[in-house]
Amino acid sequence: MHISRCSHAATPDALPGILWCVAPRVLHGGLPKAADYCTTGMVGRAPCPLARAGNEWRKPRDNIALPTPQPPPTTIMLDTKNLLHGIDLVLDLALMEQVFDRLPNVLFYVKDKEARYLMVNATLVERSALVSKEDVIGKTADELFEVTGSSTLMQDLSVIRSGEPITDVLRLFFSADGHRQWCLSSKFPVRDAEGQIAGLLGISRILPRPDEKHASYKRLLQFLKRLEEPAQPNLRISEIAREVQLSLDTLERLCREVFGLTPKQIMMRMRLDRACRLLETTDASITDIAAECGYADHSAFSRQFKAATLCTPQQYRGAHRTS
């Protein structure tokens, strides 16, 4: 199975901290064709391995000379767009499956027009508690993971029918052993040779517990403690940053280093975690829980809760209330 580059180009961008590359076929004794390069600038921030000097192209480190017409001395930059087009790059999904099998905290999947799994990586199989990939293929997400209220299937079908991708959506899901887990999900429509939507390709990055020994974690302690205090409606990240004496840029960088999330996503996750605990263990009204978790009104709380869990607070309580 193959997929054109336009359908999945954004997928690696949803994996911060992972270095992803596609290399062109080696030509001319280990060096790309001169035609694969341009002199008009730099595309993709990739410096060219060749420089032109006098009558020759030279690979500076190895001092390998290739004859070329004589131009004025200049530095050559890689034209990534034209190079990929010139070699007619098509990625094999089976190869992508092998790559994503090496990422233990990432669920990778390809689904057909009915949102049934066509391809998955090993992590998804493990989280579903099934034995093999063959057990997963042909099923929908609702058949693998616990469903409460609106389903993951409906979200998948929305992406397929609208053709609109979703990126870095903070989601709460329950693993096969019943544990609550957070992830960042991105889904992209896949088109066939005629340009018709044939399914979707997606990744869900499971968010691990932060490393409390990380040097940046200590710098975030005041910020995290501030978020844990009794919630205040309309509290702004900029206000907290000033209180803890961090610039917004520094706070953003530290949060991404430690949690892989933005400050706003961390605040939302902490609020919704608190809401889940209250729904599971108390009889407090939805309005009171919304206020306790920092929402000015229960309607805004219910919308954000449903966006993250695909169910209403009432549905969640009915499914997960502890005795």
Side-chain angles (χ1 to χ4, degrees):
M1 179 185 295
H2 293 79
I3 182 172
S4 65
R5 64 179 179 272
C6 61
S7 300
H8 63 71
T11 308
D13 291 337
L15 293 173
I18 300 297
L19 304 181
W20 172 281
C21 67
V22 176
R25 178 167 51 92
V26 175
L27 302 170
H28 277 297
L31 296 176
K33 291 180 180 178
D36 292 336
Y37 295 83
C38 68
T39 62
T40 57
M42 188 160 123
V43 178
R45 303 181 182 178
C48 175
L50 299 179
R52 183 184 286 170
N55 295 330
E56 298 175 333
W57 292 88
R58 290 188 177 273
K59 186 177 180 184
R61 186 170 297 175
D62 298 334
N63 200 32
I64 299 174
L66 297 174
T68 62
Q70 183 174 2
T74 184
T75 299
I76 309 304
M77 300 302 176
L78 181 61
D79 185 350
T80 309
K81 182 177 180 181
N82 287 337
L83 177 59
L84 291 178
H85 178 74
I87 64 177
D88 192 23
L89 179 63
V90 176
L91 291 183
D92 190 328
L93 278 179
L95 177 59
M96 292 183 69
E97 179 186 359
Q98 294 179 52
V99 171
F100 280 97
D101 275 343
R102 303 302 185 271
L103 299 179
N105 291 319
V106 175
L107 309 182
F108 166 75
Y109 45 86
V110 179
K111 300 180 181 181
D112 65 13
K113 289 184 67 173
E114 304 303 321
R116 295 170 298 204
Y117 290 107
L118 293 176
M119 182 174 292
V120 297
N121 70 336
T123 302
L124 192 147
V125 176
E126 178 186 347
R127 299 285 173 166
S128 71
L130 295 180
V131 176
S132 67
K133 293 180 179 181
E134 288 72 22
D135 295 330
V136 174
I137 302 305
K139 292 182 171 62
T140 67
D142 289 0
E143 294 176 282
L144 296 186
F145 302 104
E146 181 179 341
V147 177
T148 303
S150 180
S151 67
T152 304
L153 173 62
M154 296 306 296
Q155 183 187 68
D156 291 343
L157 292 175
S158 175
V159 171
I160 293 168
R161 291 167 181 169
S162 69
E164 295 295 328
I166 61 173
T167 56
D168 284 343
V169 174
L170 188 62
R171 285 286 314 280
L172 175 68
F173 75 100
F174 285 83
S175 60
D177 59 7
H179 284 87
R180 193 167 62 227
Q181 293 184 315
W182 287 93
C183 68
L184 282 180
S185 291
S186 298
K187 300 177 182 181
F188 308 92
V190 173
R191 299 180 183 273
D192 59 23
E194 286 71 41
Q196 300 300 310
I197 295 177
L200 68 80
L201 180 151
I203 55 172
S204 295
R205 180 164 56 91
I206 299 169
L207 300 176
R209 291 180 59 85
D211 179 7
E212 297 184 4
K213 296 181 180 179
H214 196 294
S216 296
Y217 183 85
K218 296 178 181 179
R219 298 185 64 187
L220 284 174
L221 279 177
Q222 283 185 288
F223 171 71
L224 298 174
K225 288 178 179 178
R226 184 67 178 84
L227 292 181
E228 291 173 350
E229 293 176 3
Q232 302 177 33
N234 303 318
L235 184 64
R236 296 180 179 276
I237 295 295
S238 57
E239 296 174 0
I240 304 177
R242 283 196 298 270
E243 290 178 18
V244 300
Q245 299 180 335
L246 290 173
S247 69
L248 281 174
D249 287 344
T250 299
L251 180 61
E252 176 97 12
R253 176 177 59 79
L254 294 175
C255 287
R256 289 189 180 277
E257 283 180 5
V258 177
F259 292 91
L261 297 171
T262 65
K264 185 176 180 179
Q265 287 173 326
I266 291 174
M267 182 168 69
M268 184 175 78
R269 174 179 171 174
M270 293 180 69
R271 286 180 169 182
L272 294 181
D273 265 335
R274 183 183 304 163
C276 287
R277 290 194 297 270
L278 292 172
L279 289 168
E280 292 169 3
T281 60
T282 75
D283 294 319
S285 69
I286 303 301
T287 301
D288 288 344
I289 291 177
E292 171 69 19
C293 296
Y295 292 88
D297 64 87
H298 76 277
S299 297
F301 164 66
S302 295
R303 285 194 300 271
Q304 195 166 87
F305 190 93
K306 186 173 182 178
T309 66
L310 297 184
C311 66
T312 66
Q314 294 90 337
Q315 289 170 328
Y316 183 93
R317 169 174 273 167
H320 302 287
R321 184 75 163 86
T322 58
S323 56

